[in-house]
Amino acid sequence: EKGDPKAMTMLGELYANAFGVPRDDAKAAAWYKRAADAGDREAMFELAMLRLAGRGGPVNREEAAKLLASSAKLGNPKATYNLGLMYLGGETLPQDVRRAAELFRVAADAGNPEAQYALATFYKEGTGVPKDAEKAARLLQAASMAGNIDAEVEYAIALFNGTGTAKNEAAAITLLRRAARQNNPIAQNRLARVLASGRGVPVDRVEALKWHTIAKTAGKGDPELDQALSTMSAEDKAKADAEVHKWFGTK
């Protein structure tokens, strides 16, 4: 009521996320709009996300792009990253991978893990920037340390193969185990492969079959592993099956 934009933004958060009040997207959008008009960069970002999702009003990608640009200009890393995604997608804004890379770099430098992962992918593939495996690995490491699971898996693979960083199979397997336990199918598949082959870790075909089966339920099949593990004894297969049931809580 006294015109504090931060308080307005917080009210928007409460209504958008049903924190202590019933969820009301229209009220959330209205409070975000007032705060955004008063210059609050967080409100600009949150209102942009509502406009993209069609919450509290119809989908409005053009307004969202303007809000993201304004928030990014005020130094909001999340807005900068999402504006980069819009330039990458080329639906609302003209597709410009170099501009997307620039925005990802700004957001990455500000510590945004999603931007770090996206920029790492750009360096890995040479999209909008020259290929640079070392820069990709450093960004993957930073995003991994900030909790980005996809980056954690990619960094583990880079460590395992020595791509852009010193080869370290033990550290890679530690990361794969952590990501596998967080239900990442790619990590589960890669962990199953190293356990089955004994590369960098003692062979454990029971655990390999466990993770292979779990990854398959998420659509990450692997015919080579099917073949490699097909000769296991009935007893070991039963052990792996019991571990799978324990994972899913079905027995």
Side-chain angles (χ1 to χ4, degrees), residues 72 80-81 83-84 87 98-108 115:
T80 305
Y81 166 67
L83 186 62
Y87 275 108
R98 289 187 179 180
R99 178 61 176 149
E102 290 171 5
L103 290 165
F104 289 159
R105 183 180 294 108
V106 171

Side-chain angles (χ1 to χ4, degrees), residues 106-124:
V106 171
D109 288 346
N112 182 275
E114 287 73 28
Q116 290 166 341
Y117 176 63
L119 186 58
T121 302
F122 274 25
Y123 277 118
K124 183 179 175 182

Side-chain angles (χ1 to χ4, degrees), residues 140-158:
L140 288 173
Q141 181 184 29
S144 172
M145 292 175 66
N148 186 294
I149 304 300
D150 292 329
E152 191 169 71
V153 176
E154 291 295 326
Y155 184 53
I157 293 170

Side-chain angles (χ1 to χ4, degrees), residues 159-193:
L159 280 171
F160 196 83
N161 296 319
T163 306
T165 187
K167 188 180 182 70
N168 190 332
E169 292 182 352
I173 292 166
T174 297
L175 289 175
L176 287 177
R177 284 190 187 279
R178 190 164 69 192
R181 292 185 185 117
Q182 294 177 81
N183 216 20
N184 183 283
I186 297 174
Q188 291 163 349
N189 170 258
R190 297 298 190 276
L191 182 57
R193 278 179 165 263

Side-chain angles (χ1 to χ4, degrees), residues 28-53 55 58-84 86-87 92-93:
W31 282 114
Y32 283 146
K33 178 71 165 59
R34 287 182 62 179
D37 289 346
D40 187 81
R41 70 181 195 179
E42 297 298 330
M44 295 172 189
F45 170 73
E46 296 297 345
L47 183 57
M49 293 297 101
L50 291 187
R51 294 294 183 246
L52 288 173
R55 292 176 55 190
V59 172
N60 190 330
R61 297 183 64 84
E62 290 74 18
E63 182 185 358
K66 291 177 181 177
L67 286 163
L68 289 175
S70 296
S71 184
K73 191 173 182 179
L74 292 172
N76 186 329
K78 293 181 293 184
T80 305
Y81 166 67
N82 280 275
L83 186 62
M86 295 190 85
Y87 275 108
T92 306
L93 299 172

Side-chain angles (χ1 to χ4, degrees), residues 11-26:
L11 274 174
E13 289 282 335
L14 296 178
Y15 282 115
N17 298 290
F19 293 148
V21 293
R23 175 171 154 171
D24 191 324
D25 290 341

